[in-house]
């Protein structure tokens, strides 16, 4: 830990971070966890480790009005979502947290959010770092796949079906409720408590040719599959599953839903619908990959919808 947190560092870590998800250490092959110089994990043959890391910053990736339990939970789920997109089994996570000050009630609720995350995905917190500064949370997640089973972005083929899980835009509607103080909470849970579709990712690892989790927006994330796979896509606006009937570009491309978007060979359609039934997760066909390298969106009248070219974080 850095020297600049004005509290017994050892005690702080011990109190709030040492026991999160410890029930799952054994099943995840973690031998040494929080408290030593580093953690120790046993590895097995015939598997590959899948590693991902995400930083959440106050005012950018979460609202300052959110409870620290919600901040912790959401920061972890959105990091884990990358493992879902790869079709990986979660193994463990670590956290680097930067805090403006040490406030025990805040930390207590933060660790409750972590515990909820750990319990839901059976994943132990095995280490981290704690420093002082503007609030930010970096979560590293590690998972595992059977060798060569990871679903990549770069392996979609032409003439495959494109699907999305769940409903698109609910997190956007939820964020609006929360930030505009609308006084309603029909959708806020979708923003505060997204799901990492681990079980779906695991099932998809046998049938999907490419997959991405939708963090930045359906079209721009699908575009990343297209670019890295060197294919195009034709998408039908009317088919995109949304909760409200007005399918504005803003709504369908808002991000934050952490649904999965993936490509599948046509002959796997029935198998996919069975998976949807078994997991009780809606899976919707929204279009097809194409030979052209463009992403084309059609409206209800089969007219091309004008799209901005490219989006970025900055
Ligand atoms: P060092 O100075 O050797 O890096 P630290 O004081 O940073 O040690 O960390 C001591 C132990 O506590 C390590 O096992 C580290 O992984 C863990 N740790 C520190 N901060 C956190 C945190 N926020 N969450 C989980 N574990 C943490
Ligand atoms: Mg350290």
């Amino acid at each position: 830990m850095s020297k600049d947190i004005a509290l017994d560092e050892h005690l702080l870590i011990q109190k709030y971070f040492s026991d999160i998800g410890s029930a799952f250490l054994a099943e995840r092959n973690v031998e040494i966890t929080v408290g030593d110089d580093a953690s120790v994990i046993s590895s097995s043959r015939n598997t590959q480790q899948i590693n991902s890391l995400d930083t959440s910053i106050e005012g950018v990736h979460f609202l300052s009005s959110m409870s620290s339990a919600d901040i912790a939970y959401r920061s972890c789920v959105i990091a884990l979502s990358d493992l879902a997109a790869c079709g990986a089994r979660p193994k463990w996570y670590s956290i680097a947290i930067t805090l403006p000050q040490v406030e025990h009630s805040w930390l207590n609720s933060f660790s409750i959010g972590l515990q909820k995350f750990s319990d839901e995905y059976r994943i132990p917190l095995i280490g981290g770092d704690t420093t002082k500064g503007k609030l930010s949370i970096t979560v590293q997640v590690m998972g595992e796949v059977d060798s060569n089973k990871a679903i990549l972005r770069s392996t979609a083929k032409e003439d495959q079906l494109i699907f999305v899980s769940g409903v698109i835009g609910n997190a956007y509607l939820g964020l609006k409720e929360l930030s505009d103080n609308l006084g309603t909470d029909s959708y806020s849970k979708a923003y505060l408590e997204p799901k990492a579709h681990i079980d779906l990712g695991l099932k998809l690892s046998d049938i999907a040719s490419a997959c991405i989790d939708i963090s930045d927006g359906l079209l721009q994330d699908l575009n990343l599959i297209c670019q890295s796979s060197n294919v195009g896509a034709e998408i039908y606006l009317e088919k995109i599953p949304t909760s409200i009937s007005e399918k504005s570009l803003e709504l369908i491309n808002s991000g934050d839903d952490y649904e999965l978007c993936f490509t599948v060979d046509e002959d796997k359609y029935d198998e996919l619908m069975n998976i949807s039934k078994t997991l009780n997760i809606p899976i919707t066909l929204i279009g097809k990959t194409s030979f052209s390298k463009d992403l084309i969106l059609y409206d209800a009248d089969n007219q091309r919808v004008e799209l901005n070219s490219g989006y970025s974080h900055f």
Side-chain angles (χ1 to χ4, degrees):
M1 175 189 282
S2 345
K3 300 280 176 278
D4 52 7
I5 283 248
L7 180 107
D8 186 328
E9 311 160 353
H10 181 73
L11 270 185
L12 184 150
I13 295 166
Q14 185 71 20
K15 190 162 177 201
Y16 299 110
F17 299 108
S18 68
D19 199 29
I20 306 284
S22 50
F24 312 114
L25 289 168
E27 70 184 73
R28 302 305 190 183
N29 305 322
V30 178
E31 317 292 345
I32 303 292
T33 180
V34 176
D36 212 305
D37 290 319
S39 44
V40 179
I41 303 114
S42 297
S43 49
S44 66
R45 282 168 189 240
N46 310 324
T47 60
Q48 290 171 315
Q49 309 294 304
I50 307 294
N51 174 46
S52 181
L53 177 148
D54 276 295
T55 294
S56 295
I57 293 173
E58 179 168 30
V60 182
H61 303 98
F62 58 86
L63 300 166
S64 18
S65 59
M66 280 164 62
S67 75
S68 52
D70 283 342
I71 293 170
Y73 181 83
R74 189 170 185 282
S75 305
C76 291
V77 169
I78 67 181
L80 191 66
S81 173
D82 287 309
L83 295 198
C86 291
R89 297 180 284 278
K91 298 288 282 183
W92 52 257
Y93 67 115
S94 57
I95 289 191
I97 178 166
T98 307
L99 295 168
Q101 71 266 324
V102 172
E103 209 182 288
H104 286 279
S105 60
W106 193 96
L107 275 164
N108 202 40
S109 141
F110 189 84
S111 73
I112 288 171
L114 294 181
Q115 188 64 57
K116 175 176 158 178
F117 167 74
S118 281
D119 288 344
E120 193 169 326
Y121 296 97
R122 303 185 73 84
I123 182 172
L125 176 65
I126 65 156
D129 195 27
T130 311
T131 52
K132 188 170 178 177
K134 187 169 158 29
L135 182 60
S136 118
I137 295 131
T138 297
V139 180
Q140 182 190 23
V141 289
M142 186 69 95
E144 188 180 78
V145 293
D146 297 342
S147 292
N148 304 315
K149 282 287 191 173
I151 316 170
L152 308 179
R153 293 179 183 179
S154 54
T155 38
K157 304 273 181 308
E158 293 156 21
D159 267 326
Q160 291 187 314
L161 307 179
I162 302 172
F163 292 88
V164 289
S165 67
V167 174
I168 301 299
N170 281 0
Y172 166 82
L173 297 172
L175 179 59
K176 259 192 132 132
E177 282 180 342
L178 293 163
S179 49
D180 297 354
N181 281 318
L182 297 182
T184 54
D185 66 349
S186 317
Y187 299 103
S188 46
K189 203 165 169 200
Y191 179 79
L192 295 174
E193 298 181 19
K195 298 279 165 236
H197 285 301
I198 294 293
D199 292 339
L200 178 58
L202 288 171
K203 298 262 188 212
L204 291 179
S205 64
D206 286 326
I207 59 172
S209 58
C211 185
I212 194 165
D213 63 319
I214 305 170
S215 54
D216 294 341
L218 171 61
L219 300 181
Q220 70 217 77
D221 288 327
L222 172 60
N223 202 30
L224 295 176
I225 289 186
C226 289
Q227 284 173 353
S228 49
S229 298
N230 209 21
V231 297
E234 295 177 353
I235 300 297
Y236 296 88
L237 189 57
E238 285 309 298
K239 293 191 173 172
I240 297 171
T242 54
S243 290
I244 57 175
S245 54
E246 202 218 320
K247 296 176 196 283
S248 66
L249 266 189
E250 198 180 350
L251 180 77
I252 61 147
N253 211 31
S254 49
D256 284 329
D257 287 312
Y258 296 92
E259 294 299 340
L260 298 183
C261 176
F262 51 93
T263 52
V264 169
D265 265 332
E266 221 159 313
D267 61 0
K268 300 276 167 50
Y269 184 87
D270 291 342
E271 198 177 334
L272 197 56
M273 290 306 117
N274 282 334
I275 291 173
S276 167
K277 239 181 253 158
T278 311
L279 297 180
N280 198 21
I281 297 173
I283 292 177
T284 310
L285 177 63
I286 59 165
K288 258 187 131 170
T289 57
S290 64
F291 175 75
S292 90
K293 308 298 171 236
D294 300 326
L295 195 159
I296 302 173
L297 181 68
Y298 293 104
D299 67 15
D301 304 319
N302 264 333
Q303 298 299 307
R304 262 182 93 149
V305 180
E306 191 76 35
L307 296 175
N308 294 342
S309 56
Y311 299 81
S312 83
H313 281 291
F314 297 102

